[in-house]
Amino acid sequence: MWNRLKRTVCCILLLSLLCMVVTGCGNRTELNEISIVSASGIDWKDGKWIVTYQLVLPQAIASHGSGTSSGAAPINVFSTSGDTIRGAISKASYEMSRRLYFSQNQIVVISDQAAEHGLTSLFDAYLRNPDSRETVSVFLTKRRSAREVLEHLIPLEEIPGAAIERMSRNEEKNGSTLPNMSMYRVLLDLLGPTKATGITSIDISGSDPLNSMQKMGKTYSSSKIKLGQLGILHEDKLAGWIGHTDSYGVMWMRNQIRNSTLWFPCSGEQKAEQAVMRVNRTKTKLSAKKDGDSWKLHVQIHAKGTLMEYPCDSDLTKPANVEELEKRAADKLTELVQDSFKAVQEVKVDILGFGEAVRLKDPKGWNKMASRWNEQVFPQTTVEPDVHVTIERTGMSTDSFRKMQSKAGS
């Protein structure tokens, strides 16, 4: 009995040792064997795909963090070209001693030339490649090449790719004028009923790009990275652009407003004086209605917020004056929605979700018009905004500063 117990214990110990050996790091990858890609760019030139990589240099970042200045940039940028995107990436081994590691890739910047050519190859590569991250943020650019954006340094930030991604998320969260579009969201929109989406562009202001550490040694920036317009894609190609104001209206209609600022005139007599409301809560609901032979989009918007600036003369202690101010805000938002709707119609691409509303309302009718929706049907539709604005708080003062000065002098 005792011998059998000892044999059992020995077998268990032996199996445990074998398990420890089997689960060793036989397929490990050392950090000095890979190059971490923080951002990538896609260009199309002379019938070739050009892929640009923004690589992180850990040694330079470590020297900056230790308080010593080595004068070395924290990134290195290089490009490869090929007949296909994956073919271009495979050529990186011609000039790199390390394997490219894309799992930390933060952004993909696409030039307008590449977007006009068509991005099926890019999207297909992302869907098939297990190393690709569908949470990577996607941007367009009107620059000569996407590489120009990746070469640009950003003050206060060590890795530009990560900084641009945070900039876009911050804008969507606190400004809500331009969306932060992940690859997943882009693919989801392009696989939807209207096969359309909107992608934010990146611009570089100034004529002297900030592409070396020597230029960072000033108290001001000779140029800067900034978010630009909203590019509209249909299927896999760039169809057109809309500006900041129209993009803001699109965000309202798509129910993508998080926190934002809305400004509107005090009254018909004080059009130059603008009141400002911080929007804290919103809800937008789209529905489609048949209007004869065409369709009408009903947009119901509810917005609530706090009054932040008030240079107007009316007394906010009176509920009627607050209600009048809410009506002014609703009228401004209604005008914004109507103007943005017309701007999108001019591009002839539905990025508003109108097609989805029609499909839900009339599935059989949608199947008949789906192929000609963007080009023929959508430009003939109309929008019917129904906007309700509630000012929940007016701040710590019920009068404008100018009115308080007038009272103090009397």
Side-chain angles (χ1 to χ4, degrees):
M1 179 70 179
W2 176 247
N3 290 334
R4 182 180 298 174
L5 180 61
K6 287 195 296 182
R7 285 197 300 270
T8 302
V9 172
C10 289
C11 288
I12 293 174
L13 291 173
L14 181 61
L15 289 172
S16 299
L17 290 172
L18 289 173
C19 289
M20 291 175 65
V21 173
V22 171
T23 58
C25 300
N27 61 342
R28 69 187 185 278
T29 300
E30 300 291 344
L31 286 176
N32 59 2
E33 297 176 357
I34 61 175
S35 290
I36 300 175
V37 180
S38 60
S40 55
I42 305 295
D43 288 297
W44 173 263
K45 186 177 180 180
D46 299 331
K48 298 278 188 180
W49 289 105
I50 302 174
V51 183
T52 303
Y53 321 90
Q54 185 186 94
L55 306 182
V56 178
L57 301 181
Q59 299 91 336
I61 294 176
S63 65
H64 294 163
S66 63
T68 61
S69 178
S70 64
I75 58 167
N76 178 259
V77 179
F78 78 101
S79 303
T80 56
S81 64
D83 295 328
T84 64
I85 290 178
R86 294 303 302 178
I89 294 174
S90 67
K91 291 183 179 179
S93 59
Y94 293 174
E95 52 186 292
M96 284 292 297
S97 59
R98 302 183 181 188
R99 178 173 63 88
L100 296 178
Y101 186 70
F102 286 93
S103 294
Q104 297 300 317
N105 191 24
Q106 300 286 314
I107 66 171
V108 177
V109 181
I110 306 168
S111 68
D112 55 355
Q113 296 94 332
E116 288 170 358
H117 170 73
L119 300 175
T120 293
S121 298
L122 175 65
F123 298 143
D124 197 63
Y126 261 86
L127 288 172
R128 294 181 185 278
N129 185 10
D131 293 335
S132 301
R133 296 171 61 245
E134 293 181 5
T135 56
V136 63
S137 296
V138 183
F139 298 93
L140 299 173
T141 182
K142 290 184 175 182
R143 305 294 294 185
R144 288 177 298 177
S145 67
R147 176 166 180 155
E148 291 185 50
V149 176
L150 300 192
E151 289 179 342
H152 202 284
L153 299 174
I154 298 179
L156 303 179
E157 302 289 346
E158 292 181 331
I159 304 176
I164 291 173
E165 195 268 346
R166 289 196 300 271
M167 183 193 306
S168 179
R169 289 189 181 277
N170 179 54
E171 155 56 26
E172 184 181 55
K173 182 179 179 180
N174 296 302
S176 297
T177 299
L178 295 163
N180 174 263
M181 296 297 292
S182 66
M183 182 64 73
Y184 173 77
R185 288 173 64 180
V186 170
L187 293 172
L188 201 64
D189 285 350
L190 294 179
L191 292 172
T194 61
K195 299 179 176 62
T197 191
I199 301 177
T200 301
S201 70
I202 299 177
D203 291 337
I204 300 177
S205 63
S207 57
D208 185 18
L210 204 64
N211 53 13
S212 69
M213 294 301 292
Q214 288 74 19
K215 295 179 181 179
M216 295 279 284
K218 300 179 181 179
T219 57
Y220 65 93
S221 299
S222 56
S223 66
K224 64 180 68 176
I225 292 282
K226 58 189 298 185
L227 301 179
Q229 295 179 303
L230 186 69
I232 298 178
L233 262 66
H234 180 222
E235 295 182 346
D236 71 326
K237 295 183 179 181
L238 180 65
W241 300 89
I242 60 175
H244 282 176
T245 303
D246 294 324
S247 175
Y248 187 44
V250 169
M251 295 287 280
W252 277 99
M253 286 184 275
R254 288 175 61 95
N255 196 30
Q256 290 182 312
I257 298 292
R258 300 297 175 259
N259 291 294
S260 187
T261 303
L262 180 67
W263 52 93
F264 47 92
C266 293
S267 63
E269 293 76 25
Q270 288 182 284
K271 291 183 178 180
E273 302 289 351
Q274 298 278 320
V276 180
M277 185 182 80
R278 181 63 178 173
V279 180
N280 301 320
R281 289 181 290 169
T282 67
K283 184 178 181 181
T284 301
K285 183 179 180 181
L286 300 181
S287 59
K289 298 190 297 184
K290 190 72 173 177
D291 185 21
D293 295 331
S294 62
W295 286 87
K296 178 180 292 184
L297 176 64
H298 182 74
V299 184
Q300 189 176 60
I301 298 176
H302 291 271
K304 297 182 179 181
T306 303
L307 201 62
M308 302 299 292
E309 293 183 30
Y310 184 68
C312 314
D313 293 335
S314 58
D315 185 1
L316 294 181
T317 60
K318 299 179 180 180
N321 292 336
V322 177
E323 291 176 3
E324 176 63 24
L325 208 59
E326 291 172 340
K327 183 179 181 302
R328 290 287 174 184
D331 290 343
K332 176 65 177 182
L333 191 49
T334 298
E335 181 183 351
L336 178 67
V337 167
Q338 291 172 334
D339 291 344
S340 300
F341 188 80
K342 291 178 182 177
V344 175
Q345 278 186 315
E346 290 178 1
V347 184
K348 296 184 178 181
V349 178
D350 177 14
I351 62 171
L352 305 174
F354 194 177
E356 175 65 15
V358 172
R359 188 185 68 84
L360 293 174
K361 183 73 173 180
D362 184 10
K364 292 183 179 179
W366 170 256
N367 291 334
K368 296 178 181 179
M369 72 176 80
S371 60
R372 53 188 181 88
W373 171 258
N374 286 297
E375 288 287 336
Q376 300 177 19
V377 183
F378 176 62
Q380 303 301 321
T381 59
T382 56
V383 65
E384 187 179 65
D386 181 17
V387 181
H388 302 272
V389 175
T390 301
I391 298 176
E392 297 181 307
R393 290 178 293 276
T394 59
M396 299 178 64
S397 175
T398 56
D399 290 328
S400 66
F401 179 72
R402 182 174 56 193
K403 192 172 182 179
M404 286 189 289
Q405 278 188 319
S406 177
K407 287 182 178 179
S410 61

